[in-house]
Coordinates of all heavy atoms in Angstrom, one line a residue:
M193 N -63.8 -23.3 -0.7 CA -64.4 -24.6 -0.5 C -64.5 -25.3 -1.8 O -64.9 -24.8 -2.8 CB -65.8 -24.5 0.2 CG -66.4 -25.8 0.4 SD -67.9 -25.5 1.3 CE -68.7 -27.0 1.2
I194 N -64.0 -26.5 -1.8 CA -64.1 -27.4 -3.0 C -65.2 -28.4 -2.9 O -65.2 -29.1 -1.9 CB -62.7 -28.1 -3.3 CG1 -61.6 -27.1 -3.5 CG2 -62.8 -29.1 -4.4 CD1 -60.3 -27.7 -3.6
K195 N -66.1 -28.4 -3.8 CA -67.2 -29.3 -3.8 C -66.9 -30.5 -4.7 O -66.3 -30.3 -5.8 CB -68.5 -28.7 -4.3 CG -69.0 -27.6 -3.4 CD -70.2 -27.0 -4.0 CE -70.7 -25.8 -3.1 NZ -72.0 -25.2 -3.5
T196 N -67.2 -31.7 -4.2 CA -66.9 -32.9 -5.0 C -68.2 -33.2 -5.8 O -69.3 -32.9 -5.4 CB -66.5 -34.0 -4.2 OG1 -67.5 -34.3 -3.2 CG2 -65.2 -33.8 -3.4
S197 N -68.0 -33.9 -6.9 CA -69.1 -34.4 -7.7 C -68.8 -35.8 -8.2 O -67.7 -36.3 -8.0 CB -69.4 -33.5 -8.8 OG -68.3 -33.5 -9.7
K198 N -69.7 -36.4 -8.9 CA -69.5 -37.8 -9.4 C -68.4 -37.9 -10.4 O -67.8 -38.9 -10.5 CB -70.8 -38.3 -10.0 CG -71.9 -38.5 -9.0 CD -73.2 -39.0 -9.7 CE -74.3 -39.1 -8.7 NZ -75.5 -39.5 -9.3
D199 N -68.0 -36.8 -11.1 CA -67.0 -36.9 -12.1 C -65.6 -36.3 -11.6 O -64.8 -36.0 -12.5 CB -67.4 -36.2 -13.4 CG -67.7 -34.7 -13.1 OD1 -67.8 -34.3 -12.0 OD2 -68.0 -34.0 -14.1
N200 N -65.4 -36.3 -10.4 CA -64.1 -35.9 -9.8 C -63.6 -34.5 -10.2 O -62.5 -34.3 -10.4 CB -63.0 -36.9 -10.1 CG -63.3 -38.2 -9.4 OD1 -63.8 -38.3 -8.3 ND2 -62.9 -39.3 -10.1
Q201 N -64.5 -33.5 -10.2 CA -64.1 -32.2 -10.6 C -63.2 -31.6 -9.5 O -62.3 -30.8 -9.9 CB -65.4 -31.3 -10.7 CG -66.2 -31.5 -11.9 CD -67.4 -30.7 -12.0 OE1 -67.7 -30.0 -11.0 NE2 -68.1 -30.7 -13.1
A202 N -63.3 -31.9 -8.3 CA -62.4 -31.4 -7.2 C -61.0 -31.9 -7.5 O -60.1 -31.1 -7.3 CB -62.9 -31.9 -5.9
T203 N -60.8 -33.1 -7.8 CA -59.5 -33.7 -8.1 C -58.9 -32.9 -9.3 O -57.7 -32.6 -9.2 CB -59.6 -35.2 -8.4 OG1 -60.2 -35.8 -7.3 CG2 -58.2 -35.8 -8.6
F204 N -59.7 -32.7 -10.3 CA -59.2 -32.0 -11.5 C -58.7 -30.6 -11.1 O -57.7 -30.1 -11.5 CB -60.3 -31.9 -12.6 CG -59.9 -31.1 -13.7 CD1 -59.0 -31.6 -14.7 CD2 -60.4 -29.8 -13.9 CE1 -58.6 -30.8 -15.7 CE2 -60.0 -29.0 -15.0 CZ -59.1 -29.5 -15.9
L205 N -59.5 -29.9 -10.2 CA -59.2 -28.5 -9.8 C -57.9 -28.5 -9.0 O -57.0 -27.7 -9.3 CB -60.4 -28.0 -9.0 CG -60.1 -26.6 -8.4 CD1 -60.0 -25.6 -9.5 CD2 -61.3 -26.2 -7.5
V206 N -57.7 -29.4 -8.1 CA -56.5 -29.5 -7.3 C -55.3 -29.8 -8.2 O -54.3 -29.1 -8.1 CB -56.6 -30.5 -6.2 CG1 -55.3 -30.8 -5.5 CG2 -57.6 -30.1 -5.2
D207 N -55.4 -30.7 -9.2 CA -54.4 -31.0 -10.1 C -54.0 -29.8 -11.0 O -52.8 -29.5 -11.2 CB -54.7 -32.2 -11.0 CG -54.8 -33.5 -10.3 OD1 -54.2 -33.6 -9.2 OD2 -55.3 -34.5 -10.8
S208 N -55.0 -29.1 -11.4 CA -54.8 -27.9 -12.2 C -54.0 -26.8 -11.4 O -53.1 -26.2 -11.9 CB -56.1 -27.3 -12.7 OG -56.8 -28.2 -13.5
I209 N -54.4 -26.6 -10.1 CA -53.7 -25.7 -9.3 C -52.2 -26.1 -9.1 O -51.3 -25.3 -9.2 CB -54.4 -25.5 -7.9 CG1 -55.8 -24.8 -8.2 CG2 -53.6 -24.7 -6.9 CD1 -56.7 -24.8 -7.0
I210 N -52.0 -27.4 -8.8 CA -50.6 -27.8 -8.7 C -49.8 -27.6 -9.9 O -48.7 -27.2 -9.9 CB -50.6 -29.3 -8.2 CG1 -51.2 -29.4 -6.8 CG2 -49.2 -29.9 -8.3 CD1 -51.5 -30.8 -6.4
E211 N -50.4 -27.9 -11.1 CA -49.7 -27.7 -12.4 C -49.4 -26.3 -12.7 O -48.5 -25.9 -13.4 CB -50.4 -28.4 -13.5 CG -50.4 -29.9 -13.4 CD -51.3 -30.6 -14.5 OE1 -51.8 -29.9 -15.4 OE2 -51.5 -31.8 -14.3
F212 N -50.3 -25.4 -12.2 CA -50.2 -23.9 -12.5 C -48.8 -23.4 -12.0 O -48.3 -22.5 -12.7 CB -51.3 -23.2 -11.9 CG -51.3 -21.7 -12.1 CD1 -51.6 -21.2 -13.4 CD2 -50.9 -20.8 -11.2 CE1 -51.6 -19.9 -13.6 CE2 -50.8 -19.5 -11.4 CZ -51.2 -19.0 -12.6
K213 N -48.3 -23.9 -11.0 CA -47.0 -23.4 -10.4 C -45.9 -23.4 -11.5 O -45.0 -22.6 -11.5 CB -46.6 -24.1 -9.2 CG -46.1 -25.5 -9.4 CD -45.5 -26.1 -8.2 CE -45.0 -27.5 -8.4 NZ -44.0 -27.6 -9.5
D214 N -46.0 -24.3 -12.4 CA -44.9 -24.4 -13.5 C -45.0 -23.3 -14.5 O -44.1 -23.1 -15.2 CB -45.1 -25.8 -14.2 CG -44.8 -27.0 -13.3 OD1 -44.1 -26.8 -12.3 OD2 -45.3 -28.0 -13.6
F215 N -46.0 -22.5 -14.4 CA -46.2 -21.4 -15.4 C -45.8 -20.0 -14.8 O -46.0 -19.0 -15.4 CB -47.6 -21.4 -16.0 CG -47.9 -22.6 -16.7 CD1 -48.7 -23.6 -16.2 CD2 -47.3 -22.9 -17.9 CE1 -49.0 -24.7 -16.9 CE2 -47.6 -24.0 -18.6 CZ -48.4 -25.0 -18.1
L216 N -45.3 -20.0 -13.6 CA -45.0 -18.7 -12.9 C -43.7 -18.2 -13.6 O -42.8 -19.0 -14.0 CB -44.8 -18.9 -11.4 CG -46.0 -19.4 -10.7 CD1 -45.7 -19.7 -9.2 CD2 -47.1 -18.4 -10.8
P217 N -43.5 -16.9 -13.6 CA -42.4 -16.3 -14.3 C -41.0 -16.8 -13.9 O -40.1 -16.9 -14.7 CB -42.5 -14.8 -14.0 CG -43.9 -14.6 -13.8 CD -44.4 -15.9 -13.1
N218 N -40.8 -17.1 -12.6 CA -39.5 -17.5 -12.2 C -39.2 -19.0 -12.6 O -38.1 -19.4 -12.5 CB -39.4 -17.4 -10.6 CG -40.4 -18.1 -9.9 OD1 -41.5 -18.4 -10.4 ND2 -40.1 -18.5 -8.7
Y219 N -40.2 -19.7 -13.1 CA -40.0 -21.0 -13.6 C -39.7 -21.0 -15.1 O -39.3 -22.0 -15.7 CB -41.2 -21.9 -13.4 CG -41.3 -22.4 -11.9 CD1 -42.1 -21.7 -11.0 CD2 -40.6 -23.5 -11.5 CE1 -42.2 -22.1 -9.7 CE2 -40.7 -23.9 -10.2 CZ -41.5 -23.2 -9.3 OH -41.6 -23.6 -8.0
N220 N -39.9 -19.9 -15.8 CA -39.6 -19.8 -17.2 C -38.8 -18.6 -17.6 O -39.2 -17.9 -18.5 CB -40.9 -19.9 -18.0 CG -41.9 -18.8 -17.8 OD1 -41.6 -18.0 -16.9 ND2 -43.0 -18.7 -18.5
A221 N -37.8 -18.4 -16.9 CA -36.9 -17.2 -17.0 C -36.4 -17.1 -18.5 O -36.2 -16.0 -19.0 CB -35.8 -17.2 -16.0
H222 N -36.1 -18.2 -19.1 CA -35.5 -18.2 -20.4 C -36.5 -17.6 -21.4 O -36.1 -16.9 -22.3 CB -35.0 -19.6 -20.9 CG -36.1 -20.6 -20.8 ND1 -36.6 -21.2 -19.7 CD2 -36.8 -21.2 -21.8 CE1 -37.5 -22.0 -20.0 NE2 -37.7 -22.1 -21.3
I223 N -37.8 -17.9 -21.3 CA -38.8 -17.3 -22.2 C -39.0 -15.9 -21.9 O -39.1 -15.1 -22.8 CB -40.1 -18.1 -22.0 CG1 -40.0 -19.4 -22.8 CG2 -41.3 -17.3 -22.5 CD1 -39.9 -19.3 -24.3
E224 N -39.0 -15.5 -20.6 CA -39.1 -14.1 -20.3 C -37.9 -13.3 -20.9 O -38.1 -12.2 -21.4 CB -39.1 -13.9 -18.7 CG -40.3 -14.5 -18.1 CD -41.6 -13.9 -18.4 OE1 -41.6 -12.6 -18.7 OE2 -42.6 -14.6 -18.4
S225 N -36.7 -13.9 -20.8 CA -35.6 -13.2 -21.4 C -35.7 -13.1 -22.9 O -35.4 -12.0 -23.5 CB -34.3 -14.1 -21.1 OG -33.2 -13.5 -21.7
F226 N -36.2 -14.1 -23.6 CA -36.4 -14.1 -25.0 C -37.4 -13.0 -25.4 O -37.2 -12.2 -26.3 CB -36.9 -15.4 -25.6 CG -37.3 -15.3 -27.0 CD1 -36.3 -15.3 -28.0 CD2 -38.6 -15.3 -27.4 CE1 -36.6 -15.1 -29.4 CE2 -39.0 -15.2 -28.7 CZ -38.0 -15.1 -29.7
H227 N -38.5 -12.9 -24.6 CA -39.5 -11.9 -24.9 C -38.9 -10.5 -24.7 O -39.3 -9.6 -25.5 CB -40.7 -12.1 -24.0 CG -41.6 -13.2 -24.4 ND1 -42.5 -13.8 -23.6 CD2 -41.7 -13.9 -25.6 CE1 -43.1 -14.8 -24.2 NE2 -42.6 -14.9 -25.4
A228 N -38.1 -10.3 -23.8 CA -37.4 -9.0 -23.6 C -36.5 -8.7 -24.8 O -36.5 -7.5 -25.3 CB -36.6 -9.0 -22.3
L229 N -35.8 -9.6 -25.3 CA -34.9 -9.4 -26.5 C -35.8 -9.2 -27.7 O -35.5 -8.3 -28.5 CB -34.0 -10.6 -26.7 CG -32.8 -10.8 -25.8 CD1 -32.2 -12.1 -26.0 CD2 -31.9 -9.7 -26.0
L230 N -36.9 -9.9 -27.8 CA -37.8 -9.7 -29.0 C -38.3 -8.3 -29.0 O -38.3 -7.6 -30.0 CB -38.9 -10.7 -28.9 CG -40.0 -10.6 -30.0 CD1 -39.4 -11.0 -31.4 CD2 -41.1 -11.5 -29.7
E231 N -38.7 -7.8 -27.8 CA -39.2 -6.4 -27.7 C -38.1 -5.4 -28.1 O -38.3 -4.5 -28.9 CB -39.7 -6.2 -26.3 CG -40.0 -4.7 -26.0 CD -41.2 -4.2 -26.8 OE1 -42.1 -5.0 -27.3 OE2 -41.2 -2.9 -27.1
K232 N -36.9 -5.6 -27.5 CA -35.8 -4.6 -27.6 C -35.2 -4.7 -29.0 O -34.9 -3.6 -29.6 CB -34.7 -4.9 -26.5 CG -33.6 -3.9 -26.5 CD -32.7 -4.2 -25.3 CE -31.6 -5.2 -25.8 NZ -30.6 -5.4 -24.7
E233 N -34.9 -5.8 -29.6 CA -34.2 -6.0 -30.8 C -35.1 -6.0 -32.1 O -34.6 -5.8 -33.2 CB -33.3 -7.2 -30.8 CG -32.2 -7.2 -29.8 CD -31.4 -8.4 -29.8 OE1 -31.7 -9.4 -30.5 OE2 -30.4 -8.5 -29.0
C234 N -36.4 -6.2 -31.9 CA -37.2 -6.4 -33.1 C -38.4 -5.4 -33.1 O -38.5 -4.6 -33.9 CB -37.7 -7.8 -33.1 SG -38.9 -8.2 -34.5
I235 N -39.3 -5.6 -32.1 CA -40.5 -4.8 -32.1 C -40.3 -3.3 -31.9 O -40.9 -2.5 -32.6 CB -41.5 -5.4 -31.0 CG1 -41.8 -6.8 -31.4 CG2 -42.7 -4.5 -30.9 CD1 -42.6 -7.6 -30.4
A236 N -39.4 -2.9 -31.1 CA -39.1 -1.5 -30.8 C -38.6 -0.8 -32.0 O -38.8 0.4 -32.2 CB -38.2 -1.3 -29.6
W237 N -37.9 -1.5 -32.9 CA -37.3 -0.9 -34.1 C -38.2 -1.0 -35.3 O -37.9 -0.5 -36.4 CB -36.0 -1.7 -34.4 CG -35.0 -1.4 -33.4 CD1 -34.7 -2.1 -32.3 CD2 -34.1 -0.3 -33.4 NE1 -33.7 -1.5 -31.6 CE2 -33.2 -0.4 -32.3 CE3 -33.8 0.8 -34.3 CZ2 -32.3 0.5 -32.0 CZ3 -32.8 1.7 -34.0 CH2 -32.1 1.6 -32.8
S238 N -39.4 -1.6 -35.2 CA -40.3 -1.8 -36.4 C -41.6 -1.1 -36.2 O -42.1 -0.9 -35.1 CB -40.6 -3.3 -36.5 OG -39.4 -4.1 -36.6
E239 N -42.1 -0.6 -37.3 CA -43.4 0.0 -37.3 C -44.3 -1.0 -37.9 O -44.3 -1.3 -39.1 CB -43.4 1.3 -38.2 CG -44.7 2.0 -38.2 CD -44.7 3.3 -38.9 OE1 -43.7 4.0 -38.9 OE2 -45.7 3.6 -39.6
I240 N -45.1 -1.7 -37.1 CA -45.9 -2.8 -37.5 C -47.2 -2.2 -38.0 O -47.9 -1.5 -37.3 CB -46.1 -3.8 -36.3 CG1 -44.8 -4.4 -35.9 CG2 -47.1 -4.9 -36.7 CD1 -44.8 -5.2 -34.7
K241 N -47.5 -2.5 -39.2 CA -48.7 -2.0 -39.9 C -50.0 -2.7 -39.6 O -51.1 -2.2 -39.5 CB -48.5 -1.9 -41.4 CG -47.3 -1.0 -41.8 CD -47.0 -1.0 -43.3 CE -45.9 -0.1 -43.6 NZ -44.6 -0.5 -43.3
N242 N -49.9 -4.1 -39.5 CA -51.1 -4.9 -39.3 C -50.6 -6.2 -38.7 O -49.4 -6.5 -38.6 CB -51.9 -5.1 -40.5 CG -51.2 -5.6 -41.7 OD1 -50.3 -6.5 -41.6 ND2 -51.4 -5.1 -42.9
F243 N -51.6 -7.1 -38.5 CA -51.2 -8.4 -37.9 C -50.3 -9.2 -38.8 O -49.3 -9.8 -38.3 CB -52.5 -9.2 -37.6 CG -52.2 -10.6 -37.1 CD1 -52.0 -10.8 -35.7 CD2 -52.2 -11.7 -37.9 CE1 -51.7 -12.1 -35.2 CE2 -51.9 -13.0 -37.4 CZ -51.7 -13.1 -36.1
T244 N -50.6 -9.3 -40.1 CA -49.7 -10.1 -41.0 C -48.3 -9.5 -41.1 O -47.4 -10.3 -41.0 CB -50.4 -10.1 -42.4 OG1 -51.7 -10.6 -42.3 CG2 -49.6 -10.9 -43.4
H245 N -48.2 -8.2 -41.1 CA -46.9 -7.6 -41.2 C -46.1 -7.9 -39.9 O -44.9 -8.2 -39.9 CB -47.0 -6.1 -41.4 CG -45.7 -5.4 -41.4 ND1 -45.4 -4.4 -40.5 CD2 -44.7 -5.5 -42.3 CE1 -44.2 -3.9 -40.8 NE2 -43.8 -4.5 -41.9
G246 N -46.8 -7.8 -38.7 CA -46.2 -8.1 -37.4 C -45.7 -9.6 -37.4 O -44.7 -9.9 -36.9
Y247 N -46.6 -10.5 -37.9 CA -46.2 -11.9 -37.9 C -45.0 -12.1 -38.7 O -44.1 -12.9 -38.3 CB -47.4 -12.7 -38.5 CG -47.2 -14.2 -38.5 CD1 -47.6 -14.9 -37.4 CD2 -46.6 -14.8 -39.5 CE1 -47.4 -16.3 -37.3 CE2 -46.4 -16.2 -39.5 CZ -46.8 -16.9 -38.4 OH -46.6 -18.3 -38.4
I248 N -44.9 -11.5 -39.9 CA -43.7 -11.7 -40.7 C -42.4 -11.1 -40.0 O -41.4 -11.8 -40.0 CB -43.9 -11.0 -42.1 CG1 -45.0 -11.7 -42.9 CG2 -42.6 -10.9 -42.9 CD1 -45.5 -11.0 -44.1
I249 N -42.5 -10.0 -39.4 CA -41.4 -9.4 -38.7 C -40.9 -10.3 -37.6 O -39.7 -10.5 -37.4 CB -41.7 -8.0 -38.2 CG1 -41.8 -7.0 -39.4 CG2 -40.7 -7.5 -37.2 CD1 -42.3 -5.6 -39.0
I250 N -41.8 -10.8 -36.8 CA -41.5 -11.6 -35.7 C -40.9 -13.0 -36.1 O -39.9 -13.5 -35.6 CB -42.7 -11.8 -34.7 CG1 -42.9 -10.4 -34.0 CG2 -42.4 -12.9 -33.7 CD1 -44.2 -10.4 -33.2
D251 N -41.5 -13.5 -37.2 CA -41.0 -14.8 -37.7 C -39.6 -14.6 -38.3 O -38.8 -15.5 -38.0 CB -42.0 -15.3 -38.9 CG -41.6 -16.6 -39.4 OD1 -41.5 -17.6 -38.6 OD2 -41.4 -16.7 -40.6
D252 N -39.3 -13.5 -39.0 CA -38.0 -13.3 -39.5 C -37.0 -13.1 -38.3 O -35.9 -13.6 -38.4 CB -37.9 -12.0 -40.3 CG -38.6 -12.2 -41.7 OD1 -38.8 -13.4 -42.1 OD2 -38.9 -11.2 -42.3
Y253 N -37.4 -12.5 -37.2 CA -36.5 -12.3 -36.1 C -36.2 -13.6 -35.4 O -35.1 -13.9 -35.1 CB -37.1 -11.3 -35.0 CG -36.2 -11.2 -33.8 CD1 -35.1 -10.4 -33.9 CD2 -36.5 -11.9 -32.7 CE1 -34.2 -10.3 -32.8 CE2 -35.6 -11.9 -31.6 CZ -34.5 -11.0 -31.7 OH -33.6 -11.0 -30.6
I254 N -37.2 -14.5 -35.3 CA -37.0 -15.8 -34.7 C -36.0 -16.6 -35.5 O -35.1 -17.3 -35.0 CB -38.3 -16.5 -34.5 CG1 -39.1 -15.8 -33.4 CG2 -38.1 -18.0 -34.1 CD1 -40.6 -16.3 -33.2
K255 N -36.2 -16.6 -36.8 CA -35.2 -17.3 -37.7 C -33.8 -16.7 -37.5 O -32.8 -17.4 -37.4 CB -35.6 -17.1 -39.2 CG -36.9 -18.0 -39.5 CD -37.3 -17.7 -40.9 CE -38.6 -18.5 -41.1 NZ -39.3 -18.1 -42.4
F256 N -33.7 -15.4 -37.5 CA -32.4 -14.7 -37.2 C -31.8 -15.2 -35.8 O -30.6 -15.5 -35.7 CB -32.5 -13.2 -37.3 CG -31.4 -12.5 -36.6 CD1 -30.2 -12.3 -37.3 CD2 -31.5 -11.9 -35.4 CE1 -29.1 -11.6 -36.7 CE2 -30.5 -11.2 -34.8 CZ -29.3 -11.1 -35.5
Y257 N -32.7 -15.2 -34.8 CA -32.3 -15.5 -33.5 C -31.7 -16.9 -33.4 O -30.7 -17.2 -32.7 CB -33.5 -15.4 -32.5 CG -33.2 -15.6 -31.1 CD1 -32.8 -14.6 -30.2 CD2 -33.4 -16.9 -30.5 CE1 -32.6 -14.8 -28.9 CE2 -33.1 -17.1 -29.2 CZ -32.7 -16.1 -28.4 OH -32.5 -16.3 -27.1
N258 N -32.3 -17.9 -34.1 CA -31.9 -19.3 -34.1 C -30.8 -19.6 -35.0 O -30.0 -20.5 -34.8 CB -33.1 -20.2 -34.4 CG -34.1 -20.2 -33.2 OD1 -33.7 -20.2 -32.1 ND2 -35.3 -20.3 -33.5
K259 N -30.7 -18.9 -36.2 CA -29.7 -19.3 -37.2 C -28.5 -18.4 -37.3 O -27.4 -18.8 -37.8 CB -30.4 -19.3 -38.6 CG -31.4 -20.3 -38.7 CD -32.1 -20.3 -40.0 CE -33.2 -21.4 -40.1 NZ -33.9 -21.3 -41.4
E260 N -28.6 -17.1 -36.8 CA -27.5 -16.2 -37.0 C -26.9 -15.5 -35.8 O -25.7 -15.3 -35.6 CB -27.9 -15.1 -38.0 CG -28.2 -15.6 -39.4 CD -28.7 -14.5 -40.3 OE1 -28.2 -13.4 -40.2 OE2 -29.6 -14.8 -41.1
R261 N -27.8 -15.1 -34.9 CA -27.4 -14.4 -33.7 C -26.6 -15.3 -32.7 O -27.1 -16.3 -32.3 CB -28.7 -13.9 -32.9 CG -28.4 -12.9 -31.8 CD -29.7 -12.5 -31.1 NE -29.5 -11.5 -30.1 CZ -29.1 -11.8 -28.9 NH1 -28.9 -13.1 -28.5 NH2 -28.9 -10.9 -28.0
I262 N -25.4 -14.8 -32.4 CA -24.6 -15.5 -31.5 C -25.0 -15.3 -30.0 O -25.5 -14.2 -29.7 CB -23.1 -15.3 -31.6 CG1 -22.8 -13.8 -31.4 CG2 -22.6 -15.7 -33.0 CD1 -21.3 -13.5 -31.3
H263 N -24.8 -16.2 -29.2 CA -25.3 -16.2 -27.8 C -24.1 -16.4 -26.9 O -23.4 -17.5 -27.0 CB -26.4 -17.2 -27.5 CG -27.6 -17.0 -28.3 ND1 -28.8 -16.6 -27.8 CD2 -27.8 -17.3 -29.7 CE1 -29.7 -16.5 -28.8 NE2 -29.1 -17.0 -29.9
G264 N -23.8 -15.5 -26.0 CA -22.7 -15.7 -25.1 C -22.8 -16.9 -24.2 O -21.9 -17.6 -23.9
S265 N -24.1 -17.3 -23.8 CA -24.3 -18.4 -23.0 C -24.1 -19.7 -23.7 O -24.1 -20.8 -23.1 CB -25.7 -18.3 -22.3 OG -26.7 -18.4 -23.3
L266 N -24.0 -19.7 -25.0 CA -23.9 -20.9 -25.9 C -22.5 -20.9 -26.5 O -22.3 -21.3 -27.6 CB -24.9 -21.0 -27.0 CG -26.4 -21.0 -26.5 CD1 -27.3 -21.0 -27.7 CD2 -26.7 -22.1 -25.6
S267 N -21.5 -20.5 -25.7 CA -20.1 -20.4 -26.2 C -20.0 -19.6 -27.5 O -19.2 -20.0 -28.4 CB -19.5 -21.8 -26.4 OG -19.6 -22.5 -25.2
Y268 N -20.7 -18.5 -27.6 CA -20.7 -17.6 -28.8 C -21.0 -18.4 -30.1 O -20.4 -18.1 -31.1 CB -19.3 -16.9 -28.9 CG -19.2 -16.0 -27.6 CD1 -18.5 -16.5 -26.5 CD2 -19.8 -14.8 -27.6 CE1 -18.4 -15.7 -25.4 CE2 -19.7 -14.0 -26.4 CZ -19.0 -14.5 -25.3 OH -18.9 -13.7 -24.2
M269 N -22.0 -19.2 -30.0 CA -22.5 -19.9 -31.2 C -24.0 -19.5 -31.3 O -24.6 -19.1 -30.3 CB -22.4 -21.4 -31.1 CG -21.0 -21.9 -31.1 SD -21.0 -23.7 -31.1 CE -20.8 -24.0 -29.3
N270 N -24.6 -19.7 -32.5 CA -26.1 -19.6 -32.6 C -26.7 -20.8 -32.1 O -26.0 -21.9 -32.0 CB -26.5 -19.2 -34.0 CG -26.2 -20.2 -35.0 OD1 -26.6 -21.4 -34.9 ND2 -25.5 -19.9 -36.1
P271 N -28.0 -20.8 -31.7 CA -28.6 -22.0 -31.2 C -28.6 -23.2 -32.1 O -28.3 -24.3 -31.6 CB -30.1 -21.6 -30.9 CG -30.0 -20.1 -30.7 CD -28.9 -19.6 -31.6
N272 N -28.8 -23.0 -33.4 CA -28.7 -24.2 -34.3 C -27.3 -24.9 -34.3 O -27.2 -26.1 -34.3 CB -29.1 -23.8 -35.7 CG -30.6 -23.5 -35.9 OD1 -31.4 -23.7 -34.9 ND2 -31.0 -23.0 -37.0
E273 N -26.3 -24.0 -34.3 CA -24.9 -24.6 -34.3 C -24.6 -25.3 -33.0 O -24.0 -26.3 -33.0 CB -24.0 -23.4 -34.6 CG -22.5 -23.8 -34.6 CD -21.6 -22.6 -34.8 OE1 -22.0 -21.5 -34.8 OE2 -20.4 -22.9 -35.0
F274 N -25.1 -24.7 -31.9 CA -24.9 -25.3 -30.6 C -25.5 -26.6 -30.5 O -24.9 -27.6 -30.0 CB -25.4 -24.3 -29.5 CG -25.2 -24.8 -28.1 CD1 -24.0 -24.7 -27.5 CD2 -26.2 -25.5 -27.4 CE1 -23.7 -25.2 -26.2 CE2 -26.0 -25.9 -26.1 CZ -24.8 -25.8 -25.5
I275 N -26.8 -26.8 -31.0 CA -27.5 -28.0 -30.9 C -26.8 -29.1 -31.8 O -26.6 -30.2 -31.4 CB -28.9 -27.9 -31.4 CG1 -29.7 -27.1 -30.3 CG2 -29.6 -29.2 -31.6 CD1 -31.1 -26.7 -30.7
R276 N -26.3 -28.7 -33.0 CA -25.6 -29.7 -33.8 C -24.3 -30.2 -33.2 O -24.1 -31.4 -33.2 CB -25.3 -29.0 -35.2 CG -26.4 -29.0 -36.2 CD -25.9 -28.6 -37.6 NE -25.3 -27.3 -37.7 CZ -26.0 -26.2 -37.8 NH1 -27.3 -26.2 -37.9 NH2 -25.3 -25.0 -37.9
K277 N -23.6 -29.2 -32.6 CA -22.3 -29.6 -31.9 C -22.6 -30.5 -30.7 O -21.9 -31.5 -30.4 CB -21.5 -28.4 -31.6 CG -20.8 -27.8 -32.8 CD -19.9 -26.7 -32.5 CE -19.2 -26.2 -33.8 NZ -18.2 -25.3 -33.5
S278 N -23.6 -30.2 -30.0 CA -24.0 -30.9 -28.8 C -24.4 -32.4 -29.2 O -24.0 -33.3 -28.5 CB -25.2 -30.3 -28.0 OG -24.8 -29.0 -27.5
M279 N -25.1 -32.5 -30.3 CA -25.5 -33.8 -30.7 C -24.3 -34.6 -31.2 O -24.3 -35.8 -30.9 CB -26.6 -33.7 -31.8 CG -27.9 -33.2 -31.3 SD -29.1 -32.8 -32.7 CE -29.4 -34.5 -33.2
L280 N -23.4 -34.0 -31.9 CA -22.2 -34.7 -32.3 C -21.4 -35.2 -31.1 O -20.9 -36.3 -31.1 CB -21.3 -33.8 -33.2 CG -21.8 -33.6 -34.6 CD1 -20.9 -32.5 -35.3 CD2 -21.7 -34.9 -35.4
I281 N -21.3 -34.4 -30.1 CA -20.5 -34.8 -28.9 C -21.2 -36.0 -28.2 O -20.5 -37.0 -27.9 CB -20.4 -33.6 -27.9 CG1 -19.5 -32.5 -28.5 CG2 -20.0 -34.1 -26.5 CD1 -19.5 -31.3 -27.7
R282 N -22.5 -36.0 -28.2 CA -23.3 -37.1 -27.6 C -23.1 -38.4 -28.4 O -22.9 -39.5 -27.9 CB -24.7 -36.8 -27.5 CG -25.0 -35.8 -26.4 CD -26.5 -35.6 -26.3 NE -26.7 -34.5 -25.4 CZ -27.8 -33.8 -25.3 NH1 -28.8 -34.1 -26.1 NH2 -28.0 -32.8 -24.5
I283 N -23.1 -38.3 -29.7 CA -22.9 -39.4 -30.6 C -21.5 -40.0 -30.5 O -21.3 -41.2 -30.4 CB -23.2 -39.0 -32.1 CG1 -24.7 -38.8 -32.2 CG2 -22.7 -40.2 -33.0 CD1 -25.0 -38.1 -33.6
C284 N -20.5 -39.2 -30.3 CA -19.1 -39.6 -30.2 C -18.8 -40.2 -28.9 O -17.8 -40.9 -28.8 CB -18.2 -38.4 -30.5 SG -18.3 -37.9 -32.2
Q285 N -19.6 -40.0 -27.9 CA -19.3 -40.5 -26.5 C -19.6 -41.9 -26.4 O -20.3 -42.6 -26.8 CB -19.9 -39.7 -25.5 CG -19.3 -38.3 -25.3 CD -20.1 -37.5 -24.3 OE1 -21.1 -37.8 -23.8 NE2 -19.4 -36.4 -23.9

């Protein structure tokens, strides 16, 4: 049961429930895929000593992922290269 009040809490609650559907796993499969790769290619191979060490390892992996690692779904380019080429194509059109 939803109770209403002078400040429209019920409306806020309904809006929050409607927006929540966007955070379900099937709506963000690309992030779920990245987290699986992060676990498999980075965390599983590292012995993380503390929070700072873990932060550095994950930050280095994200830089590698965006600047060096090629992706089959991006025509075998890294994400940075793919974005640059995509922007050039849009400018030339």
Side-chain angles (χ1 to χ4, degrees):
M193 180 175 167
I194 298 175
K195 295 181 181 181
T196 59
S197 65
K198 291 179 184 177
D199 59 351
N200 292 325
Q201 287 178 352
T203 302
F204 175 75
L205 178 62
V206 171
D207 289 344
S208 298
I209 291 169
I210 291 169
E211 290 174 11
F212 180 74
K213 71 173 181 56
D214 295 335
F215 299 105
L216 298 175
N218 56 335
Y219 285 95
N220 62 354
H222 58 286
I223 281 296
E224 297 292 331
S225 176
F226 173 75
H227 286 162
L229 285 172
L230 178 67
E231 171 66 28
K232 185 173 90 174
E233 296 181 356
C234 176
I235 296 172
W237 291 92
S238 303
E239 184 177 323
I240 298 173
K241 297 176 178 75
N242 55 41
F243 178 82
T244 304
H245 182 243
Y247 183 90
I248 292 168
I249 288 173
I250 291 171
D251 186 56
D252 288 344
Y253 178 77
I254 291 170
K255 289 175 185 171
F256 164 76
Y257 183 88
N258 288 324
K259 296 179 181 179
E260 298 176 36
R261 187 181 184 278
I262 60 171
H263 301 251
S265 62
L266 301 178
S267 301
Y268 297 95
M269 292 184 268
N270 64 54
N272 287 355
E273 182 181 5
F274 182 80
I275 289 170
R276 278 193 300 274
K277 288 188 178 186
S278 297
M279 290 174 70
L280 283 173
I281 290 170
R282 287 183 189 159
I283 291 170
C284 294
Q285 289 179 347

